[in-house]
Amino acid sequence: MRAAPDRLRHDPVWRGAVLALLASALFGLSTPLVQHFGRGLGPFATAGLLYAGAALLGAVLRQPVEREAQLQRGDAPRLLLMAACGAVLGPGALAWGLQRTSGASASLMLTLEALFTALLARLLYRESLDGRVLAAMGLILCGGVLLVFDQGLDGRAGLDGLLAVLVATVAWGADNTVSRALAERDPGQVVMVKAALGASASGLLAVLAGEAAPAWTAVAALLAVGASGYGLSLRFYLLAQRSFGAARTGSVFALAPFLGALTAVALGDRGWGIAMLVGCAAMLGGVLLHLAESHAHEHAHEALEHEHAHRHDDGHHDHTHDSMPQGTHSHWHAHAPMRHAHAHAPDAHHTHAH
């Protein structure tokens, strides 16, 4: 077996899965923390602080133009839609719902985000979903349903709060799908712009709604949670989409509710039930199926010109430089038509039909 760093560099499935798992862990852990630190705050004030923290982190993580492709003027409509769905409606609905249901219940309801993401990725980008991927997504979804069922047994789920969280999952599913087209841009810049737009809009809505000003301790806590659970998580999510597409990233990201529920339980939310244990096992089985995926066949690449971060040891970038750069770099380049066979995932170079 190849060494782990080498496999992460050359295997798009492993690289994408690891990045999606990191994004999932950061976001999943943030949900009960948002409930804890946002107690008593308005939903728009909470969302504004979360995305202000994400915007600050995005500014710190921006890459120079020679390493990552920069945002273009034509990306503005997508960024505005991402901000509206993912940085205003999604977190606002989640924050409202968290005040009316348990942290574990809300975390588990977020499992449905993966389903909406996968369906939209299939419809809009025609991403291939073979039997193994469908089985993995089915296991993760079934696990999420079992976890929600387990939460509902105690009668404290809070239907209105769960419905608000459901709205958040739809909003974030749309956000995830729209962001796929920006996965080749500098993720730090995408995070910064999207989060800044979302923080500005949410802050304005908080003022118009007359929401109370938060205490400085809540401000500091929510900025930190936003930087890690929303900013850094989104960066990893975009990099995962770059490696193996929107549907697979969304499916692995479905572990976030499981991790959020674990954190909520650790904070004293409630104990474990048998359905929760079975559901967790199903979700972990789905992730293992993703890691075992190997999609390889002969396929054709049409002539293509684009700009994105790339290396010259991946079998797809054989253009020349006067002075060959080392490692990852970004510039406008052309691909000649070619046909070959190797393991691949639905990244920017593998959008062929099946």
Side-chain angles (χ1 to χ4, degrees):
M1 178 180 289
R2 286 177 291 179
D6 187 54
R7 186 164 192 178
L8 288 175
R9 175 181 296 178
H10 296 288
D11 190 324
V13 172
W14 270 78
R15 183 170 62 250
V18 169
L19 288 166
L21 283 170
L22 289 172
S24 172
L26 289 169
F27 181 73
L29 294 173
S30 73
T31 301
L33 295 178
V34 171
Q35 183 188 43
H36 178 73
F37 293 117
R39 189 170 290 117
L41 297 182
F44 294 120
T46 301
L49 288 170
L50 290 171
Y51 275 96
L56 291 172
L57 186 83
V60 172
L61 296 179
R62 285 189 62 184
Q63 297 295 308
V65 65
E66 61 270 14
R67 288 185 58 84
E68 285 281 2
Q70 303 297 293
L71 287 170
Q72 305 297 319
R73 196 180 294 269
D75 296 328
R78 287 185 179 275
L79 285 165
L80 289 172
L81 185 57
M82 287 170 61
C85 291
V88 179
L89 179 58
L94 177 64
W96 191 90
L98 283 171
Q99 295 179 1
R100 291 160 178 82
T101 190
S102 73
S105 298
S107 294
L108 301 177
M109 179 61 77
L110 291 173
T111 307
L112 295 176
E113 179 184 336
L115 177 62
F116 295 126
T117 300
L119 291 175
L120 289 171
R122 179 62 178 170
L123 290 173
L124 297 180
Y125 300 115
R126 310 303 300 173
E127 288 190 7
S128 62
L129 301 175
D130 59 22
R132 185 188 296 272
V133 173
L134 289 173
M137 293 174 62
L139 277 173
I140 291 173
L141 180 60
C142 287
V145 170
L146 283 170
L147 296 177
V148 173
F149 174 75
D150 179 81
Q151 288 291 296
L153 290 178
D154 65 5
R156 297 188 295 111
L159 181 59
D160 53 348
L162 287 180
L163 289 176
V165 178
L166 178 62
V167 171
T169 66
V170 176
W172 274 320
D175 174 27
N176 295 339
T177 309
V178 172
S179 69
R180 173 68 185 92
L182 298 181
E184 302 301 326
R185 307 296 193 203
D186 175 12
Q189 190 178 25
V190 174
V191 170
M192 180 187 70
V193 174
K194 171 192 170 180
L197 288 171
S200 300
S202 294
L204 178 60
L205 289 171
V207 172
L208 294 177
E211 293 182 358
W216 70 269
T217 51
V219 171
L222 290 174
L223 284 175
V225 173
S228 59
Y230 287 72
L232 191 56
S233 175
L234 177 56
R235 174 182 171 82
F236 287 144
Y237 194 99
L238 291 167
L239 291 172
Q241 285 189 324
R242 180 184 295 183
S243 291
F244 75 160
R248 288 163 176 79
T249 300
S251 181
V252 175
F253 191 77
L255 273 182
F258 161 66
L259 297 170
L262 279 178
T263 305
V265 170
L267 292 174
D269 194 293
R270 57 155 291 154
W272 289 82
I274 185 63
M276 181 176 279
L277 290 171
V278 175
C280 291
M283 296 179 80
L284 290 173
V287 172
L288 291 176
L289 271 179
H290 272 295
L291 292 174
E293 180 188 2
S294 181
H295 180 76
H297 61 87
E298 186 177 49
H299 54 277
H301 293 271
E302 298 180 356
L304 174 67
E305 292 189 20
H306 59 176
E307 179 184 1
H308 67 108
H310 60 278
R311 303 173 61 91
H312 283 269
D313 57 358
D314 61 2
H316 293 88
H317 296 89
D318 55 2
H319 53 269
T320 60
H321 293 260
D322 292 335
S323 176
M324 184 61 72
Q326 298 297 315
T328 302
H329 59 284
S330 178
H331 61 89
W332 190 266
H333 57 277
H335 295 268
M338 66 182 299
R339 177 178 288 273
H340 60 179
H342 65 96
H344 59 277
D347 58 18
H349 300 100
H350 299 93
T351 57
H352 51 268
H354 292 78

